[in-house]
Amino acid sequence: MKRPENLAFRLGTGLFGLVLVLLVAAIGVELVRQSWLSIEKFGLSFWRTSTWDPVAGEFGALPFIWGTLYSSILALLIATPISLGIAVFISELCPNRLRPVLVFFTELLAAIPSIVYGLWGIFVLVPLVRSIETSFPPSLKALPFFSGPPFGLGMLSAALILAVMVVPFTSSVAREVLKAVPVAQREGAYALGATRFEAIAAALYYARTGIVGAVLLGFGRALGETMAVTMVIGNSPKVTLSLFAPQHTMAAVLANEFSEAADALYLSALVEIGLVLFIITLVVNSLSRLLIWGMARPMTQATA
Amino acid sequence: MTPGTRRRKFISSLFVVSCAASVLLALVPLTFVLFFVVSQGIQSLNVAFFTHMPAPVGEAGGGMANAIVGTLILVSLGGVFAVPIGILSGIYLSEYAGTRFASLVRFAADTLNGVPSIVIGVFVYGIAVLPFKQFSALAGGLALGIMMIPIIARTTEELLLLVPGTMREGALALGATHARAVFTVVVPSALPGIVTGIVLAVARIAGETAPLIFTSLNNGFFSTKLTRPIASLTVQVYTYAQSPYQDWHRQAWAGALVLVGIVLTCSLLARFATRRLENISSH
């Protein structure tokens, strides 16, 4: 029997659910609306040119998208093996009593606010990176990765700090994914005489789609990370492979220039950067969720 | 043992050691960050930090009273926006878990959760700052609220699902309407969990800076007006950290220590409450 009160309850709570859907749509619509001026004026050349000159009214966002992608990919290269190592150690290797303690500590990494990482970055990490950079052997400085003067502020510091911030997310999802691998699968490997490494490698292979999802989730986090990166990357729009060079990211240029953007075109160009950041993270996160859901249904957030 | 077996065993131990090493490697930055925040922050943290206004450049001491109050106001505003929407949509998600619309809402929640906080700031600037030509505490609270909604919705959903189905069925069998069963039986028994979700959301957004720098901006004076710019701990730490003054750097570290204190307290509270709740529901 269908009661009208029950229908009212369903519609009433559903309405609040609708708010979430509308919010996501509103963000997309509003960003497009606010950036329309810039989209119309520059079209695709916005993403192909590198001149960022608010005074002359010329806007090219290539250095920002480059900086965002480069820093995030570097962060992933550092964070992925470490995150997987942590996930394997916690879920497969460590004694049961140690497990909650380690989970707590890795999640603590996710709880520390971005601004605190940034503060630490400016006063502790950057001087440290600078001294590493100055003591770099000159022969290696011929490589494009290590060219340029050592500032400390720059891509290397940003990538390191991003890696630290990404590890708790990737490792917690990787742990959930490993948990979803049937025990029989590992027992089978051991029964065939596999070593620990071989059994775990088989489990990792079994869980590969979920693992890729976990890595992508970390990628999504890194792309949108703002404060810590802004404070250590040097904020200089340049397209270069050099790890030592100060660079810029999409999120950082928004944090730095948004409240100062006086004219409409400047503001519109900044919003377009926000729009593209929104679209990229949306795609990366959706893809990652799809892959993870194929394996297990963990909470996609590191509960710290 | 054949050489092959020996090699395989060697690789295996090498693997185990490197997994353990990666755990240690992750703990290095954690201790490093916490050590500096505590050791640097504690030097400037005193009663005046909580009760005094920021000191002018060149004058040592002073405090962040306005920023602490500002952060409390902003987080409360965020809660006012987010708690009703978060809880009620969470109820929808758990009660109608299988429906297609629930999947859509869940997708929207996860998407919202993944939107970079700076983009939320740009969005709120467009809808709540630009039309009124005025940075305001309300805009900042709205930005934080939007970030809280998906966290509260998803935790409410997960925790309501932990309530045994038999309790709901019992209420329904006694002739209660669905709404009555949910609000008088299911929600009360999951209430500690729902509160936990809110605390968790607070922990997550109290440390946010990016959505505030162009919504609530900053304010050098003590202000509680919701339609005016307002100071916050995070933006204040950001401003101080970027300044060239030693005194301000010291204040920034103290601010960071207070922030970490707030965030960790909330996280720990949420953690203990969740564990208790999970224990109860598993018995």
Side-chain angles (χ1 to χ4, degrees), chain B residues 34 43 83 106 110 130 146 164-165 170 173 198 201 204 217 220 228 230 244 283:
Chain B
L34 289 180
Q43 293 170 20
V83 167
R106 206 170 288 123
D110 288 351
L130 212 50
I146 293 177
I198 297 170
R204 198 79 67 72
L217 206 69
R228 292 275 170 266
I230 199 167
H283 287 313

Side-chain angles (χ1 to χ4, degrees), chain A residues 3 6 9-10 13-14 16 20 85 104 107-108 111 115 120 193 196-198 258 281-282 285 289 299 301 304, chain B residues 8 12 15 22 32 88-89 92 96 99 110-111 113-114 116 125 158 175-176 178-179 200 209 238 263-264 271:
Chain A
R3 292 208 262 175
N6 289 350
F9 174 68
R10 184 169 183 171
T13 51
F16 285 91
L20 273 88
F104 173 75
E107 285 180 354
L108 210 53
I115 184 85
W120 176 78
R196 232 176 192 177
F197 165 66
E198 287 156 353
F258 201 84
T281 47
L282 189 82
N285 285 331
R289 213 166 310 123
M299 282 180 79
Q301 45 200 3
Chain B
R8 285 172 55 215
S12 188
F15 175 73
S22 44
F32 216 23
L88 285 163
S89 52
Y92 181 85
Y96 302 99
T99 62
D110 288 351
T111 302
N113 199 21
Y125 179 86
E158 307 242 348
H178 198 164
L200 197 69
T209 319
Y238 180 49
V263 169
L264 288 193
R271 207 179 164 72

Side-chain angles (χ1 to χ4, degrees), chain B residues 31-49:
Chain B
T31 34
F32 216 23
V33 170
L34 289 180
F35 170 77
F36 272 93
V37 169
V38 172
S39 67
Q40 299 281 318
I42 211 106
Q43 293 170 20
S44 332
L45 200 62
N46 45 29
V47 181
F49 186 84

Side-chain angles (χ1 to χ4, degrees), chain A residues 66-218:
Chain A
W66 162 260
T68 292
L69 291 177
Y70 193 36
S71 61
S72 302
I73 289 170
L74 285 174
L76 276 198
L77 289 180
I78 305 168
T80 302
I82 297 175
S83 310
L84 292 186
I86 293 172
V88 166
F89 189 80
I90 292 180
S91 68
E92 315 274 328
L93 302 171
C94 87
N96 278 332
R97 291 178 59 186
L98 198 60
R99 191 166 296 147
V101 182
L102 292 181
V103 169
F104 173 75
F105 279 122
T106 48
E107 285 180 354
L108 210 53
L109 274 176
I112 294 174
S114 174
I115 184 85
V116 174
Y117 277 114
L119 185 71
W120 176 78
I122 291 185
F123 294 111
V124 183
L125 182 68
V126 165
L128 194 74
V129 167
R130 190 184 302 131
S131 65
I132 294 171
E133 286 175 357
T134 35
S135 60
F136 229 65
S139 51
L140 280 175
K141 297 206 69 171
L143 289 169
F145 295 107
F146 307 116
S147 63
F151 290 108
L153 283 175
M155 187 50 81
L156 185 57
S157 301
L160 285 173
I161 230 165
L162 268 181
V164 174
M165 299 179 76
V166 158
V167 160
F169 291 96
T170 308
S171 68
S172 98
V173 177
R175 220 170 54 223
E176 297 284 337
V177 168
L178 275 176
K179 223 189 269 173
V181 177
V183 183
Q185 212 257 0
R186 255 153 286 184
E187 284 168 353
Y190 284 127
L192 289 171
T195 61
R196 232 176 192 177
F197 165 66
E198 287 156 353
I200 293 171
L204 281 171
Y205 182 74
Y206 180 93
R208 61 194 178 281
T209 47
I211 300 283
V212 174
V215 172
L216 276 180
L217 187 91

Side-chain angles (χ1 to χ4, degrees), chain A residues 3 5-6 9-21 23-24 26-28 30-31 33-34 81-86 88-90 93 100 102-117 119-120 122-124 128 164 167 192-198 200-201 204 220-221 223-227 230-231 235 251 254-256 258-259 261 267 270-271 274-275 277-278 281-282 285-286 289 293 297-304, chain B residues 5 8-9 11-13 15-16 18-20 22-23 25-27 29-30 32-34 36-37 84-86 88-89 91-92 95-96 99 101 103-123 125-127 130 135 146 149-151 153-155 158 172 175-179 182-183 200 203-204 207-210 213-214 217 234-235 237-238 240-243 249 252-253 256-257 259-260 263-264 267-268 270-271 275:
Chain A
R3 292 208 262 175
E5 300 98 301
N6 289 350
F9 174 68
R10 184 169 183 171
L11 287 178
T13 51
L15 212 59
F16 285 91
L18 187 64
V19 172
L20 273 88
V21 180
L23 256 177
V24 174
I27 293 177
E30 178 65 21
L31 292 177
R33 201 173 66 86
Q34 297 279 351
I82 297 175
S83 310
L84 292 186
I86 293 172
V88 166
F89 189 80
I90 292 180
L93 302 171
L102 292 181
V103 169
F104 173 75
F105 279 122
T106 48
E107 285 180 354
L108 210 53
L109 274 176
I112 294 174
S114 174
I115 184 85
V116 174
Y117 277 114
L119 185 71
W120 176 78
I122 291 185
F123 294 111
V124 183
L128 194 74
V164 174
V167 160
L192 289 171
T195 61
R196 232 176 192 177
F197 165 66
E198 287 156 353
I200 293 171
L204 281 171
R221 287 279 152 184
L223 290 170
E225 182 44 54
T226 312
M227 298 320 293
T230 308
M231 291 165 88
N235 297 333
L254 288 173
N256 274 313
F258 201 84
S259 49
L267 193 69
L270 285 170
V271 178
L275 172 68
L277 189 57
F278 173 69
T281 47
L282 189 82
N285 285 331
S286 308
R289 213 166 310 123
W293 278 4
R297 290 188 172 259
M299 282 180 79
T300 40
Q301 45 200 3
T303 31
Chain B
T5 317
R8 285 172 55 215
K9 288 210 157 158
I11 290 175
S12 188
S13 348
F15 175 73
V16 172
S18 50
C19 284
S22 44
V23 173
L25 204 58
L27 293 182
L30 180 70
F32 216 23
V33 170
L34 289 180
F36 272 93
V37 169
I85 302 176
L88 285 163
S89 52
I91 290 177
Y92 181 85
E95 291 301 312
Y96 302 99
T99 62
F101 186 63
S103 315
L104 181 66
V105 172
R106 206 170 288 123
F107 177 77
D110 288 351
T111 302
L112 211 51
N113 199 21
V115 174
S117 54
I118 189 93
V119 173
I120 304 265
V122 173
F123 168 64
Y125 179 86
I127 61 160
L130 212 50
F135 296 102
I146 293 177
I149 291 172
I151 308 173
R154 294 290 264 143
T155 16
E158 307 242 348
L172 291 173
T177 62
H178 198 164
V182 168
F183 287 117
L200 197 69
R204 198 79 67 72
E208 279 294 339
T209 319
I213 38 184
F214 36 81
L217 206 69
T234 47
V235 176
V237 169
Y238 180 49
Y240 278 2
Q242 303 227 310
S243 79
H249 293 168
W253 281 108
L257 179 57
L259 267 179
V260 169
V263 169
L264 288 193
S267 306
L268 283 175
R271 207 179 164 72
R275 189 164 305 154

